[in-house]
Amino acid sequence: MKKEPFRLTPYQVQWILIVGFLTIGYAIYLRYMAIEFAQVRLECDAGLQTMLCKTRQTMTYLFKHYVFGIAALVVALLHLIRPSIVTLTVGLIAACFGIVLYNIGLSGVAIGLLILGFARPAPETA
């Protein structure tokens, strides 16, 4: 008996596109308007306690410790073992943040593994 490879329905493709574009957009906003923008950097380093400064501090901590890349790689491996829309979505979010926020090596490998997940057979449904 031949097993069918993992395929997305049209609604799932639309979901992945929406999540991907929103994630990339928010990551670009954080990178260029919060992390690298000189005025925001100076204000946050001077002690300003706004939500943007707290988000900047959190994202800086996460990408310095490779959290986005490691999370994307772990979820991509899970997606490779047992492909599903949930692991694909979470892996895509982590990989998009990792690519934009300086965790390029691990996130690039994770994107490759997410793509390889489409070659795997779909899980059996009960």
Side-chain angles (χ1 to χ4, degrees), residues 22-41:
L22 287 176
T23 304
I24 289 287
Y26 186 62
I28 288 173
Y29 168 76
L30 283 176
R31 179 174 175 175
Y32 292 112
M33 296 304 288
I35 296 172
E36 291 186 1
F37 192 50
Q39 184 176 356
V40 173
R41 183 180 68 236

Side-chain angles (χ1 to χ4, degrees), residues 16-78:
I16 291 296
L17 285 172
I18 290 169
V19 167
F21 282 126
L22 287 176
T23 304
I24 289 287
Y26 186 62
I28 288 173
Y29 168 76
L30 283 176
R31 179 174 175 175
Y32 292 112
M33 296 304 288
I35 296 172
E36 291 186 1
F37 192 50
Q39 184 176 356
V40 173
R41 183 180 68 236
L42 291 173
E43 289 173 352
C44 291
D45 290 344
L48 186 65
Q49 294 296 320
T50 62
M51 190 65 183
L52 183 63
C53 289
K54 291 178 195 261
T55 304
R56 179 185 184 277
Q57 182 182 13
T58 302
M59 291 298 164
T60 304
Y61 178 81
L62 291 177
F63 76 71
K64 280 184 180 177
H65 294 287
Y66 300 102
V67 172
F68 296 119
I70 292 170
L73 192 60
V74 167
V75 174
L77 285 172
L78 289 173

Side-chain angles (χ1 to χ4, degrees), residues 107-125:
S107 295
V109 172
I111 289 175
L113 290 175
L114 288 173
I115 292 170
L116 278 176
F118 289 107
R120 300 277 303 162
E124 296 293 328
T125 57

